[in-house]
Amino acid sequence: MSNISVITSGTSGIGRAIVKKILAESAEGDRVIVNYGHSDQAAEDLKNELPEKQRERLTLVKADLSDYDAMMEFAGKVKEMTDHIDWLVLNTGIGTYVPYDEYTFELWNHIINTNLSIPAFLVRELKPHMAEYGNILFMGSQAGQQPYSSSLVYSVSKAGVLHMAKCLVKFFDDRRVSVNAIAPGFIETRWQKDRTDESYERINRKIAAHRFGTPEEVASLCFAVLSNDYLNGSVYEVTGGYDYF
Ligand SMILES: NC(=O)c1ccc[n+]([C@@H]2O[C@H](COP(=O)([O-])OP(=O)(O)OC[C@H]3O[C@@H](n4cnc5c(N)ncnc54)[C@H](OP(=O)(O)O)[C@@H]3O)[C@@H](O)[C@H]2O)c1
């Protein structure tokens, strides 16, 4: 049976690297359904970069996954496109550096909805479509494992994501679907674009590898977890060894 993957927010940064890794390892008949939220240009660029055979296996679906109705519409489209899903990757995640004292209730809800609530309902919506021995992978964060006061709501949402991955294991037991999560540390994507040299240096001093990770390094761990049916209910860190110094 061909391998069908669904990845949310897969046209830039870590998601894009995951999509490219899965496509690079794909075979005839495999399909990779990739969601993105806003940038048609990023979606087009991803498509154009791929070798022809891989491009044929890619389907791009635009949907704003901060919105419940748009998520339901996306889930409906996925169900029309395929009768089963082998790998489901929930990669969407947004943050804010607005200080806690200045949060609005709307901002809090927007981030919790996008990072935690919408993925929970998307997984439930696609649950009947998960293939036996399929794999679900959530993109958490190291910020969900230790207090990250620079972005309280982000940290809390990612803690929820990591816990959700574990809590969902029992709900997928009937078809032996695995549920795991990844917890990256500081990864070189556009999230870091406003960081000063001083900030890079301060963080690099705390990382045993003394550098930020690449999206490809995260993607290679994601692929290893998705490919290994004996991994279940766990969180896999990819941090370069954080807080050793
Ligand atoms: N970079 C890090 O250091 C780091 C560390 C730990 C965890 N993470 C996690 O890794 C994941 C990816 O982050 P990244 O660093 O790769 O960031 P990124 O390069 O900014 O990618 C974020 C992606 O999210 C999409 N997106 C944003 N809002 C969306 C929405 N409402 N609906 C659907 N898609 C939406 C964006 O697509 P559009 O622009 O088209 O909307 C983009 O493809 C996130 O869950 C993040 O929390 C990142």
Side-chain angles (χ1 to χ4, degrees):
M1 192 163 67
S2 56
N3 192 296
I4 310 293
S5 305
V6 176
I7 295 133
T8 65
S9 300
T11 56
S12 90
I14 293 170
R16 182 170 174 278
I18 298 171
V19 169
K20 288 186 93 170
K21 175 69 179 167
I22 294 176
L23 281 168
E25 304 285 341
S26 66
E28 199 73 40
D30 291 353
R31 278 181 75 188
V32 184
I33 299 169
V34 176
N35 151 262
Y36 66 101
H38 308 90
S39 172
D40 296 319
Q41 188 59 54
E44 200 57 29
D45 290 348
L46 168 66
K47 203 169 169 180
N48 291 337
E49 267 176 37
L50 296 170
E52 197 183 330
K53 280 251 177 292
Q54 293 182 25
R55 198 179 311 141
E56 287 164 6
R57 296 171 193 156
L58 173 77
T59 307
L60 292 158
V61 184
K62 190 174 185 176
D64 176 356
L65 295 184
S66 66
D67 179 79
Y68 182 83
D69 293 337
M71 176 278 289
M72 290 295 282
E73 202 179 314
F74 170 66
K77 282 183 185 165
V78 170
K79 288 187 233 177
E80 275 168 24
M81 283 174 201
T82 176
D83 60 358
H84 75 279
I85 300 165
D86 298 283
W87 293 353
L88 174 59
V89 181
L90 293 307
N91 175 61
T92 306
I94 56 169
T96 178
Y97 288 110
V98 170
Y100 170 48
D101 286 341
E102 292 169 26
Y103 279 4
T104 60
F105 192 56
E106 287 71 26
L107 176 65
W108 177 278
N109 282 340
H110 178 59
I111 291 174
I112 295 289
N113 279 340
T114 308
N115 294 2
L116 187 61
S117 312
I118 299 276
F121 282 87
L122 178 58
V123 167
R124 193 187 71 176
E125 218 35 52
L126 295 179
K127 187 170 176 273
H129 264 55
M130 286 307 297
E132 207 173 13
Y133 296 103
N135 286 287
I136 298 173
L137 187 61
F138 285 93
M139 192 54 64
S141 170
Q142 184 190 19
Q145 290 182 309
Q146 58 185 81
Y148 183 55
S149 48
S150 314
S151 188
L152 174 77
V153 63
Y154 178 74
S155 190
V156 169
S157 72
K158 289 297 186 176
V161 167
L162 299 180
H163 199 59
M164 179 158 66
K166 295 182 181 190
C167 291
L168 280 172
V169 167
K170 269 195 170 180
F171 293 94
F172 285 89
D173 182 53
D174 54 343
R175 270 167 300 136
R176 299 285 186 269
V177 172
S178 301
V179 191
N180 292 289
I182 302 286
F186 291 88
I187 308 302
E188 200 58 74
T189 68
R190 67 182 180 181
W191 276 49
Q192 318 295 351
K193 70 177 171 23
D194 296 328
R195 205 172 278 290
T196 60
D197 288 349
E198 186 279 328
S199 167
Y200 267 110
E201 277 164 31
R202 186 170 38 80
I203 293 164
N204 281 341
R205 273 198 296 275
K206 296 189 84 176
I207 301 173
H210 297 301
R211 64 171 177 84
F212 282 31
T214 65
E216 289 71 27
E217 285 165 334
V218 180
S220 112
L221 176 63
C222 292
F223 189 81
V225 174
L226 288 165
S227 315
N228 189 328
D229 288 338
Y230 199 59
L231 304 179
N232 201 359
S234 295
V235 172
Y236 302 92
E237 289 181 25
V238 50
T239 65
Y242 189 71
D243 238 355
Y244 282 86
F245 298 89

